[in-house]
Amino acid sequence: PDGAQIELNIDGEKATIRSGRSRYTLATLPANEFPNMDSLEAPVEFSLPQQALKRVIEKTQFCMAIQDVRYYLNGLLLEMSQDKLTAVATDGHRLALSQIKMSSPVKETRQVILPRKGVTELSKLLGDSEDMAQLQLGTSHLRIKLGDVTFTSKLIDGKFPDYNQVVPATTDKLISGNRVGLLQAFSRASVLSNEKYRGMRLNLEANLLRATLHNPEQEEAEEEIEVNYNGGEFEIGFNVSYFIDALSAISEERVRIQLTDSNHSCLIQGDNDESSKYVIMPMRL
């Protein structure tokens, strides 16, 4: 009960917990077998505000793969390069990238892959404040000091794909629209999708985007959204969930969607934010 006094006694390999008329006897394990993560080999150290680190994680972590055989995709890439920290996540079908400036530059470029569970726990620990997070990067572990809390995670040993080759360098079709309007329209249409059928067809014509979605029950959703677009008529398919996730991660009022053709990935960004990029591969419908 609230306010109860608890008494804890250790006797050999047993721990006894008493409170009032309650008594629990528990088995213990040898303390010397607890994993020791005190020392990091040749750590690279730098600091940045908790709020900034939390932001790049939240803007990218939803793209991490789940139990992929390519184990290096089941985590978040953190790249330290000069005065930039870049976070990248991909599941092979889409990619999220976010960058922040660091006040204390690092001498050499380093890449590490933080596992999914480590990313999830770290996201919970980070606050929305300007309090500094101290990062220590070793060969196999990452340690982050947040005030009274020290968080240490093992790293995934693997080679992350070259994300620069995935982000489209040149595109010839530009769509500009209201983020919330697009997000709401795609969310409404997605009601008719299910786990197996997530395909959404986008048809473009002058200043108009038409989103159509079908399911095996022969049901159909169609949404028309006014956008800024002056290219020719064009059709392409995407996983509607991937689009919703990307639009949800962007905080700007307007977004840019850049396309080349129906066989190439699209690039989504906030109108005034060059620091975060979202890439989605097309679907054949």
Side-chain angles (χ1 to χ4, degrees), residues 163-280:
Y163 61 85
N164 289 309
Q165 298 210 346
V166 178
V167 180
T170 57
T171 56
D172 56 10
K173 295 177 177 64
L174 174 63
I175 306 159
S176 175
N178 179 273
R179 182 187 70 85
V180 174
L182 287 163
L183 178 58
Q184 290 177 345
F186 294 162
S187 297
R188 284 193 298 268
S190 72
V191 170
L192 294 190
S193 67
N194 58 32
E195 286 303 314
K196 261 188 150 181
Y197 299 89
R198 310 292 291 176
M200 171 179 66
R201 181 176 278 105
L202 297 181
N203 291 89
L204 282 159
E205 52 190 80
N207 294 325
L208 184 71
L209 184 150
R210 183 181 298 107
T212 313
L213 203 144
H214 300 264
N215 67 21
E217 284 75 42
Q218 305 301 312
E219 296 171 324
E220 179 180 298
E222 183 178 290
E223 291 278 347
E224 289 189 351
I225 310 113
E226 288 186 13
V227 293
N228 291 340
Y229 174 71
N230 55 16
E233 292 189 9
F234 179 66
E235 180 179 292
I236 191 168
F238 290 107
N239 182 315
V240 65
S241 297
Y242 296 168
F243 242 98
I244 289 171
D245 287 344
L247 291 171
S248 299
I250 295 170
S251 52
E252 279 68 34
E253 186 179 335
R254 294 188 66 80
V255 293
R256 298 194 312 271
I257 302 169
Q258 294 166 253
L259 298 155
T260 303
D261 56 42
S262 58
N263 297 316
H264 288 80
S265 300
C266 82
L267 174 63
I268 307 171
Q269 285 179 280
D271 245 8
N272 300 305
D273 183 13
E274 293 293 327
S275 66
S276 297
K277 300 176 181 179
Y278 301 92
V279 180
I280 305 175

Side-chain angles (χ1 to χ4, degrees), residues 38-44 110 137-141:
D38 284 345
S39 59
L40 294 183
E41 299 169 29
V44 174
R110 289 285 298 272
L137 177 61
T139 52
S140 58
H141 290 84

Side-chain angles (χ1 to χ4, degrees), residues 113-169:
I113 307 172
L114 193 60
R116 163 180 281 276
K117 194 164 186 181
V119 174
T120 305
E121 294 304 319
L122 179 57
S123 185
K124 293 176 190 173
L125 290 171
L126 289 166
D128 289 311
S129 68
E130 290 297 318
D131 293 344
M132 299 302 281
Q134 292 178 289
L135 284 81
Q136 295 179 330
L137 177 61
T139 52
S140 58
H141 290 84
L142 173 69
R143 175 169 296 152
I144 301 179
K145 294 183 178 179
L146 312 166
D148 295 334
V149 177
T150 300
F151 174 80
T152 306
S153 172
K154 212 171 176 183
L155 298 170
I156 293 176
D157 182 18
K159 177 69 176 167
F160 202 83
D162 183 359
Y163 61 85
N164 289 309
Q165 298 210 346
V166 178
V167 180

